[in-house]
Amino acid sequence: MIEVFKEFTFEAAHHLAGNVPPGHPYSRLHGHSFKVEIFLRGEPDPKHGWVADFAEIDRHLQRLRGELDHNYLNDIEGLQVPTLENITRWIWNRLHDELPGLHRVLVRRGSCGEGCIYTGMAA
Ligand SMILES: [Zn+2]
């Protein structure tokens, strides 16, 4: 089994007002730099010798980046509560049908050493 990964970054604003106590710092509008890593598992196909075509992966990731970058996450369908957990799962759900072998989505928030990993329904 081989695992390949690709990264992309995006900048976005959000707030969690209504989901955190009044006065909580996350309730105020603010922004982050997000770094996303997606992992695909599989065996290299005999014809190409690769698990997946990185150009194909990149096409999907750039489309997704276009939806997220310099956007206000609360306005995106499915991200009305834009926690790190929900963002990670949202990215997984958007990519799962398009990227066979998708195994793991990891999202890092800023440079604060925080992140989230989602592996879908995989056992
Ligand atoms: Zn935040």
Side-chain angles (χ1 to χ4, degrees):
M1 182 67 62
I2 293 184
E3 192 162 325
V4 296
F5 67 93
K6 187 164 178 64
E7 304 172 356
F8 72 100
T9 60
F10 68 94
E11 319 284 329
H14 74 161
H15 71 77
L16 299 176
N19 307 102
V20 293
H24 192 288
Y26 297 172
S27 69
R28 297 191 289 272
L29 179 64
H30 63 280
H32 296 285
S33 298
F34 293 93
K35 181 175 163 191
V36 182
E37 301 172 31
I38 64 117
F39 296 79
L40 278 64
R41 275 188 178 178
E43 292 296 334
D45 82 62
K47 181 180 176 190
H48 300 100
W50 61 39
V51 172
D53 180 352
F54 273 101
E56 179 73 6
I57 297 172
D58 193 51
R59 197 169 59 79
H60 292 296
L61 297 189
Q62 289 305 319
R63 181 181 48 76
L64 208 55
R65 183 175 189 278
E67 294 181 45
L68 295 167
D69 189 48
H70 284 79
N71 221 328
Y72 175 49
L73 298 179
N74 299 66
D75 276 352
I76 295 177
E77 181 65 34
L79 285 180
Q80 287 83 358
V81 182
T83 58
L84 191 54
E85 290 84 344
N86 286 340
I87 294 166
T88 307
R89 188 166 47 193
W90 184 90
I91 291 172
W92 168 279
N93 287 337
R94 294 300 303 272
L95 293 175
H96 182 253
D97 291 341
E98 297 167 342
L99 292 179
L102 182 66
H103 174 66
R104 187 157 59 119
V105 172
L106 183 155
V107 179
R108 297 175 198 272
R109 177 169 52 197
S111 55
C112 51
E114 297 169 352
C116 180
I117 294 171
Y118 188 66
T119 55
M121 302 301 286

